[in-house]
């Protein structure tokens, strides 16, 4: 099985590069230079050369706040780019895995979101990712949509930012009124890989289990890393950002529960492994 991963230099892409390759799979992680998804000619030439059985489309415009001012750039990559990948998947009979986000929801629920709940993104990034879902579904019949949340792995992320700030500052102020599920890219990559061999197409939520606020997440990062620094909870309103974010975007892995069973571990267990890898 030949697998192409777009966004191969990103956090999730690098998790695929780090996976010990299953004996029946060959995984090719591509940067935007090797395959710019907005360039249909380059996309077709790579597909023609590789003839992939599966394409994991993790490449995206991911700058949530910048997207408010750069909507064209976000839509070009997340919608037009996804259209190009989906069309090539249709032509080359490849299965498509489109990586999407908890930010397709507005966060007004007070229970975890299932795959069957109403979407209503609050920001440009979320809207572009949702349109990416729709265009992929219109074009490509062999489609897995995987929604995930609050990723950390190799690369820039909240965990590394907290550990850096803990060295630089006397105390930290962290938002305590947004709740989600931090997800370790290594767990997510493994989860996706176990699905691509099947024909069980559809939309899946895949996040580590449990929930916390950014404040609680930061406290746990510091505890596991053995750092002691005061952390003060603040509100979203006190931490001005360009893009609105859902207050509550916990994903329930409901499709997995209904099918193979939800094999995702708790966010604390994933985080413990990650901290052990990067700190100890
Ligand atoms: N980070 C999160 O918390 C989070 C949460 C939910 C869902 N997601 C989704 O999960 C996926 C992976 O996110 P991530 O955090 O791993 O992303 P990331 O670290 O921000 O990396 C983004 C990746 O997208 C690639 N990319 C950007 N423009 C591209 C283009 N025109 N053509 C091809 N590749 C392009 C970049 O490639 P180059 O570096 O080579 O330019 C980079 O590898 C994305 O689809 C994202 O929307 C992320």
């Amino acid at each position: 099985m030949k697998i192409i991963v777009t966004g191969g230099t990103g956090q999730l892409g690098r998790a695929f590069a780090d996976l010990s390759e299953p004996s029946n799979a060959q995984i090719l992680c591509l940067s935007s230079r090797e395959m710019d998804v907005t360039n249909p000619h380059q996309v077709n030439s790579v597909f023609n050369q590789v003839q992939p059985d599966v394409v994991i489309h993790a490449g995206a415009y991911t700058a949530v706040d910048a997207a408010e001012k750069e909507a064209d750039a976000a839509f070009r990559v997340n919608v037009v780019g996804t259209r190009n990948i989906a069309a090539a998947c249709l032509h080359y009979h490849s299965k498509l895995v489109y990586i999407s986000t908890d930010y397709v929801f507005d966060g007004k629920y007070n229970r975890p979101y299932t795959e069957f709940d109403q979407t209503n993104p609050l920001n440009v990034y979320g809207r572009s990712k949702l349109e990416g879902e729709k265009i992929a579904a219109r074009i490509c019949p062999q489609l897995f949509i995987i929604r995930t949340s609050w990723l950390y792995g190799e690369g820039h992320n909240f965990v590394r930012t907290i550990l850096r700030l803990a060295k630089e500052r006397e105390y930290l102020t962290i938002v305590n009124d947004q709740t989600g599920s931090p997800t370790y890219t290594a767990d997510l990559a493994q989860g996706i890989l176990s699905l691509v061999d099947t024909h069980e197409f559809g939309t899946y939520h895949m996040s580590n289990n449990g929930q916390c606020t950014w404040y609680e997440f930061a406290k746990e990062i510091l505890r596991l890393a053995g750092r002691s620094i005061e952390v003060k909870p603040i509100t979203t309103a006190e931490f001005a950002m360009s893009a609105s974010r859902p207050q509550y975007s916990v994903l329930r892995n409901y499709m997995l529960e209904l099918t193979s069973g939800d094999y995702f571990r708790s966010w604390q267990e994933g985080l413990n492994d990650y901290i052990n890898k990067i700190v100890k």
Side-chain angles (χ1 to χ4, degrees):
M1 183 170 50
K2 281 193 211 156
I3 303 177
I4 285 180
V5 180
T6 73
T9 53
Q11 288 196 86
L12 181 57
R14 288 204 238 172
F16 282 103
D18 287 350
L19 277 184
S20 42
E21 233 171 51
S23 53
N24 64 339
Q26 197 187 330
I27 303 179
L28 189 61
C29 296
L30 300 176
S31 68
S32 62
R33 200 176 42 81
E34 291 164 307
M35 186 173 69
D36 178 351
V37 298
T38 65
N39 179 342
H41 306 293
Q42 198 183 10
V43 168
N44 273 308
S45 133
V46 171
F47 271 68
N48 189 33
Q49 207 181 329
V50 179
Q51 305 275 332
D53 300 294
V54 177
V55 178
I56 300 173
H57 181 31
Y61 181 105
T62 57
V64 176
D65 290 298
E68 295 299 305
K69 285 202 177 127
E70 295 180 354
D72 290 356
F75 274 77
R76 190 171 298 116
V77 178
N78 296 348
V79 186
V80 178
T82 301
R83 190 274 315 269
N84 295 340
I85 292 291
C89 284
L90 179 70
H91 187 77
Y92 288 90
H93 307 290
S94 318
K95 294 179 189 172
L96 172 59
V97 181
Y98 173 73
I99 310 299
S100 190
T101 169
D102 55 330
Y103 283 10
V104 297
F105 295 115
D106 62 17
K108 302 220 160 73
Y109 280 33
N110 53 12
R111 54 130 177 100
Y113 283 89
T114 77
E115 294 81 349
F116 310 107
D117 286 322
Q118 188 60 49
T119 53
N120 183 30
L122 297 179
N123 55 42
V124 170
Y125 165 76
R127 280 202 292 282
S128 70
K129 292 294 293 183
L130 181 60
E131 290 305 320
E133 288 188 9
K134 290 182 191 167
I135 208 160
R138 278 201 292 273
I139 295 171
C140 191
Q142 302 196 88
L143 174 66
F144 302 96
I145 293 173
I146 310 287
R147 296 196 191 121
T148 188
S149 58
W150 294 25
L151 290 183
Y152 59 88
E154 280 310 306
H156 294 295
N157 59 57
F158 183 77
V159 181
R160 285 185 187 272
T161 302
I162 291 297
L163 293 174
R164 177 175 53 78
L165 292 178
K167 285 187 195 150
E168 297 170 3
R169 303 220 174 139
E170 278 179 27
Y171 65 89
L172 305 179
T173 53
I174 309 288
V175 169
N176 196 30
D177 58 0
Q178 288 171 33
T179 300
S181 305
T183 300
Y184 185 21
T185 53
D187 291 355
L188 177 59
Q190 202 65 60
I192 292 169
L193 217 53
S194 64
L195 205 58
V196 298
D197 223 1
T198 74
H199 288 85
E200 293 163 15
F201 302 117
T203 300
Y204 291 80
H205 288 179
M206 286 195 179
S207 286
N208 281 121
N209 275 298
Q211 63 182 57
C212 61
T213 65
W214 291 110
Y215 167 79
E216 291 162 340
F217 188 18
K219 296 271 284 183
E220 186 65 2
I221 292 163
L222 294 165
R223 189 186 72 78
L224 289 169
R227 307 266 161 80
S228 64
I229 174 170
E230 189 187 353
V231 188
K232 299 180 185 177
I234 58 168
T235 63
T236 301
E238 288 173 275
F239 188 71
M241 297 189 101
S242 317
S244 300
R245 287 165 166 77
Q247 277 213 324
Y248 184 89
S249 60
V250 177
L251 300 178
R252 178 175 174 189
N253 302 336
Y254 189 45
M255 270 294 272
L256 288 183
E257 286 174 28
L258 296 176
T259 54
S260 55
D262 180 6
Y263 39 75
F264 276 80
R265 57 184 171 168
S266 71
W267 68 267
Q268 293 96 333
E269 287 171 284
L271 181 62
N272 188 39
D273 271 10
Y274 180 64
I275 297 278
N276 279 333
K277 188 173 170 198
I278 65 168
V279 176
K280 294 175 182 165

